[in-house]
Amino acid sequence: MRASTRIIAGIVAAVLIAAAVAAFAIAWRPAIAAIDPPDPQSFDAALVKRGRDLAAIGNCSDCHTPRGAKNFAGGLPVPTPFGTIFSTNITPDPETGIGRWSEAAFRRAMRSGVNREGQHLYPTFPYDHFTNVSDEDDRALYAFLMTRQPVRAAPRENQLSFPFDQRLAIAGWKLLFLRHDTYRPDPRQSAEWNRGAYLVEGLAHCGACHTPRNALGAERVSARFAGGDVDDWHAYAINDQSRSPVPWTADALFTYLREGWHPDHGTARGPMAKVVSNLSSVPASDVRAIAVYMASVSGTPTPGRAGPGEDALTRAKAASQANPVGASIYTAACASCHEGGRPLPYGGVDLGLSTAISSPDPRNLANIVLSGIDAVEGERSPIMSGFAASMNDDQASALLNYLRARFSDQPAWTDLKKTIADARRTQTVFLQTSPAPRNAPADPQQREKPW
């Protein structure tokens, strides 16, 4: 009996040792030797300019730059279901940034989510998309970042509970969800479509916001582009499940992504405003390619889908009032712009065409009504006053219910007052992280426009 016990104990010990060795082999990554910070003049100017455009497509500055801070210095809090993760300093500062990173170290971080020291990076840095970025584009991004102004800013400590604060857990996450396949062009599609697919699936990482996630924080592959949640906003479905009253076309997507608004679809707001702010500075051909690819993801509208879109256009012009309180607030606060006849973007968008009003989730509309839309200095852009100070929760609820009833054929929202109260509480946080004016960047090289 004792011999059998010793045998069983030996087997258990061997299994545990093997598991520990396997876990170490999976988790361990060697450090890459530090280098002396390269001379910014050593990088080709055309390569740096290309990297600038790619960084804008990847929205790098808005994730790595808190409002009021130096560009790319990190420290932006990213809330997750597992705690708060702070973005890192990606300026070429040799002590607190990536100044001592070689190009190989930078590429490993982009492809494998491992920093120069060999630590696994949390997937809030979307390396699960950046595996699709080519070596040439990684080189251009590296050149751009290494020619930025170095900023000494020590990284903030992440606020994660056990076991999510353990880097070993990230290695396990990668085993389950990280795919190292790079993008391969589809020979059946046009060069423009393939360019758009490469950008959307890679550097632009559109699915990171527009795809729902599973319990472990990975994108649900089976629900690709079916909508997700980010920063207390709902990122709409942008596939064939889109609730937009009027189906999206490539032309409409191009205008929306380039200008930040479209008369049939409304205005970009919240995190999406940051995206279009960056896209306004990149070559129009890249934005057009993204629009062409995403329009193909949505697919050609069926008659059953296109018909309601036409009905929405008609209903937007002829809808009747839904409730007297909401109607009176709308007449006093909204109608002068939204029914004033002024051309967009200075007049209000036709609310019968608003995705925010037709969405099953009222958060975006609540945020817009309370926070408004800031003007972009020196540009033709939408503007709207926020009503957080002039409407109480009951009044805002009545207005949103009225808008829903008049300008959509969707059922009434539930828990609307709670949504409004939550939006009011998070309004200050949103204002602190909203994008700077597109024509007045902190770093002129970063946001220089090509025209």
Side-chain angles (χ1 to χ4, degrees):
M1 192 69 176
R2 291 180 179 175
S4 63
T5 301
R6 284 197 298 270
I7 293 173
I8 293 172
I11 293 173
V12 170
V15 170
L16 291 175
I17 292 171
V21 171
F24 177 79
I26 292 169
W28 181 79
R29 294 292 182 274
I32 294 178
I35 64 170
D36 292 330
D39 181 355
Q41 300 302 318
S42 66
F43 294 98
D44 178 72
L47 188 67
V48 172
K49 181 181 182 300
R50 181 180 169 196
R52 179 204 68 193
D53 292 339
L54 293 170
I57 290 171
N59 209 35
C60 303
S61 63
D62 289 311
C63 285
H64 290 273
T65 310
R67 188 172 179 83
K70 297 291 183 64
N71 269 6
F72 303 112
L76 184 77
V78 181
T80 77
F82 317 107
T84 300
I85 297 172
F86 294 91
S87 63
T88 55
N89 182 345
I90 55 173
T91 75
D93 179 70
E95 304 302 327
T96 64
I98 61 172
R100 296 190 181 278
W101 287 35
S102 64
E103 185 180 325
F106 178 78
R107 183 177 297 113
R108 182 172 74 170
M110 292 286 287
R111 294 283 179 81
S112 301
V114 178
N115 67 13
R116 188 190 68 77
E117 292 81 8
Q119 295 176 320
H120 291 276
L121 300 173
Y122 286 97
T124 48
F125 177 59
Y127 48 80
D128 52 338
H129 286 271
F130 295 163
T131 57
N132 287 311
V133 179
S134 68
D135 289 349
E136 294 77 12
D137 283 351
D138 276 340
R139 182 171 297 115
L141 282 166
Y142 179 76
F144 172 72
L145 292 173
M146 297 304 269
T147 54
R148 299 308 90 201
Q149 180 67 38
V151 179
R152 186 175 181 81
R156 298 179 63 180
E157 194 73 23
N158 294 325
Q159 299 170 359
L160 297 168
S161 58
F162 183 84
F164 307 111
D165 59 344
Q166 303 299 305
R167 300 283 174 170
L168 179 62
I170 309 174
W173 186 94
K174 290 178 179 179
L175 273 180
L176 293 172
F177 303 114
L178 183 60
R179 301 291 177 264
H180 291 281
D181 298 335
T182 56
Y183 174 75
R184 296 179 181 177
D186 186 341
R188 299 168 299 176
Q189 302 289 346
S190 68
E192 185 176 51
W193 185 97
N194 275 292
R195 175 64 175 170
Y198 167 74
L199 293 174
V200 168
E201 304 295 347
L203 198 57
H205 61 282
C206 302
C209 290
H210 288 277
T211 298
R213 296 180 178 270
N214 62 24
L216 294 178
E219 294 175 29
R220 290 168 47 198
V221 178
S222 61
R224 184 165 158 267
F225 298 125
D229 297 314
V230 56
D231 295 344
D232 203 43
W233 289 73
H234 179 67
Y236 297 126
I238 50 177
N239 56 13
D240 57 1
Q241 298 177 41
S242 170
R243 296 293 189 91
S244 173
V246 179
W248 285 93
T249 64
D251 287 341
L253 280 165
F254 172 76
T255 299
Y256 182 84
L257 293 173
R258 190 70 173 170
E259 304 296 337
W261 62 276
H262 187 275
D264 291 353
H265 295 281
T267 301
R269 189 61 174 143
M272 194 64 200
K274 302 178 183 181
V275 173
V276 299
S277 177
N278 279 308
L279 291 180
S280 71
S281 68
V282 306
S285 59
D286 280 340
V287 182
R288 172 68 66 179
I290 290 172
V292 166
Y293 174 68
M294 287 311 308
S296 76
V297 170
S298 297
T300 303
T302 63
R305 178 80 174 90
E310 294 299 325
D311 292 342
L313 291 170
T314 302
R315 185 173 59 251
K317 299 175 181 178
S320 60
Q321 295 184 350
N323 70 65
V325 175
S328 63
I329 296 174
Y330 172 80
T331 300
C334 314
S336 60
C337 286
H338 289 280
E339 297 183 10
R342 295 182 66 190
L344 289 167
Y346 305 114
V349 67
D350 190 332
L351 296 178
L353 311 176
S354 170
T355 303
I357 291 175
S358 293
S359 171
D361 191 315
R363 282 180 293 176
N364 291 13
L365 184 61
N367 282 320
I368 292 171
V369 167
L370 294 176
S371 300
I373 299 170
D374 296 332
V376 179
E377 183 179 352
E379 296 188 13
R380 296 176 69 251
S381 65
I383 180 173
M384 173 181 150
S385 299
F387 295 100
S390 57
M391 288 186 195
N392 59 33
D393 289 359
D394 287 338
Q395 292 168 330
S397 179
L399 175 61
L400 266 63
N401 277 325
Y402 170 77
L403 296 176
R404 178 78 160 177
R406 176 174 174 181
F407 295 105
S408 83
D409 59 357
Q410 301 299 314
W413 286 307
T414 59
D415 296 328
L416 189 54
K417 288 186 179 180
K418 181 181 182 302
T419 299
I420 292 169
D422 290 343
R424 195 183 293 278
R425 280 194 297 271
T426 59
Q427 181 191 21
T428 301
V429 175
F430 167 72
L431 291 175
Q432 290 174 346
T433 59
S434 60
R438 293 201 295 265
N439 66 322
D443 181 351
Q445 295 185 52
Q446 176 198 345
R447 296 287 180 84
E448 177 186 344
K449 294 196 174 185
W451 53 77

